[in-house]
Amino acid sequence: MADTKTAGTTPTAITVHKQSRALELAFESGEVYSLPFEFLRVNSPSAEVRGHGAGQEILQTGKRDVLMTAIDPVGNYAVQLHFSDGHNTGIYTWDYLHWLGANQAQLWEDYLKRLEAAGFTRESGRDAPMQSAQSAGGSCGHKH
């Protein structure tokens, strides 16, 4: 994904659907995407999810019932999403949200495959509690 501004990726409408747990985005290009809260949460652009480099991604589990509790604008290029599990460090640029929408089916399939590779079923991993960095084999430097 390029960091440069892509034509047509500025949303013309953003709608939070609390009942169906989805963020709907309509773009200048005419595309409309409905992105489930769970999908947005497990694909957060934050370092907490992506790690600090290639191969350091942290598999997100137990996010099936996550809610979006707030959405804050970030300049005129992004939004910061707040989730019911306390996560709020991801800055979702318009380009990134458009990319998520355009690649939603493949990204979701990849996520479900990562759950399976980690020893979960596709469904159980969506409900399984998150492992701390320490219990996952890493160390976060403080006692639990």
Side-chain angles (χ1 to χ4, degrees), residues 50-84:
R50 293 193 175 267
H52 295 283
Q56 295 184 5
E57 298 84 1
I58 299 160
L59 180 63
Q60 302 297 298
T61 59
K63 304 304 178 190
R64 181 196 307 262
D65 295 324
V66 74
L67 301 174
M68 188 181 306
T69 57
I71 181 170
D72 295 326
V74 177
N76 61 0
Y77 68 94
V79 288
Q80 180 179 16
L81 305 180
H82 299 258
F83 295 94
S84 59

Side-chain angles (χ1 to χ4, degrees), residues 55-127:
Q56 295 184 5
E57 298 84 1
I58 299 160
L59 180 63
Q60 302 297 298
T61 59
K63 304 304 178 190
R64 181 196 307 262
D65 295 324
V66 74
L67 301 174
M68 188 181 306
T69 57
I71 181 170
D72 295 326
V74 177
N76 61 0
Y77 68 94
V79 288
Q80 180 179 16
L81 305 180
H82 299 258
F83 295 94
S84 59
D85 65 353
H87 182 73
N88 65 357
T89 57
I91 303 297
Y92 294 75
T93 65
W94 303 144
D95 283 351
Y96 185 63
L97 287 166
H98 185 271
W99 182 81
L100 285 175
N103 295 284
Q104 183 176 3
Q106 186 60 54
L107 290 167
W108 187 248
E109 184 64 24
D110 291 348
Y111 171 66
L112 295 176
K113 286 178 181 175
R114 287 194 318 272
L115 286 174
E116 285 182 318
F120 297 104
T121 67
R122 289 175 172 237
E123 294 305 309
S124 70
R126 295 175 60 204
D127 294 324

Side-chain angles (χ1 to χ4, degrees), residues 19-41:
Q19 285 294 105
S20 58
R21 298 180 187 180
L23 183 68
E24 183 179 288
L25 299 125
F27 289 92
E28 292 173 335
S29 58
E31 295 148 307
V32 177
Y33 299 114
S34 181
L35 305 176
F37 296 164
E38 178 185 13
F39 175 77
L40 289 165
R41 176 61 181 84

